[in-house]
Amino acid sequence: MIGLARERLRQKALYSIVPAYALSETFTLPELQRLHEVLIGKRLQKKSFRRRIRRIEQAELLLDTGEKRSEGGRPATLYRMKQASDSYTFVRNLED
């Protein structure tokens, strides 16, 4: 059963933002990308991932909190998911 749930989450990570709900209430884009990479099982190009995330921002499903988190390097913007975000899907699969 756990294997099936993990595979379902992996599939959702390929085409949706649903895995973001596994993160804390506020998160950075690098954290979101890393979660997708772990679930999918391969590294994603930062530029390609960010392009897809920008579409989510334009749809106002990913909200900039106006806060930043600093962990040694450049401060990263913190985001929060909007309620309706779970129904949004990427135009193309992340493996494409």
Side-chain angles (χ1 to χ4, degrees):
M1 187 183 273
I2 291 172
L4 291 173
R6 178 145 175 26
E7 178 57 24
R8 181 68 179 133
L9 192 53
R10 186 184 87 71
Q11 290 297 319
K12 288 225 176 244
L14 288 171
Y15 65 84
S16 77
I17 197 72
V18 167
Y21 289 102
L23 296 170
S24 61
E25 184 179 347
T26 59
F27 54 87
T28 64
L29 292 183
E31 291 169 343
L32 180 59
Q33 181 174 343
R34 181 69 186 129
L35 175 60
H36 274 81
E37 290 172 340
V38 167
L39 291 171
I40 293 168
K42 73 176 198 174
R43 291 188 52 88
L44 300 170
Q45 290 184 358
K46 180 179 177 179
K47 186 177 179 180
S48 175
F49 185 77
R50 295 290 170 99
R51 188 177 325 115
R52 290 166 197 235
I53 295 303
R54 260 188 249 111
R55 288 188 186 123
I56 293 169
E57 287 178 296
Q58 290 169 349
E60 296 181 358
L61 301 174
L62 189 62
L63 305 172
D64 182 336
T65 65
E67 301 172 16
K68 304 252 185 212
R69 180 184 302 153
S70 182
E71 295 178 354
R74 185 173 156 194
T77 301
L78 288 171
Y79 292 90
R80 171 179 290 121
M81 297 298 297
K82 197 170 180 182
Q83 288 296 100
S85 300
D86 60 345
S87 62
Y88 180 86
T89 58
F90 299 135
V91 174
R92 288 187 10 222
N93 190 314
L94 281 175
E95 286 186 323
D96 293 342

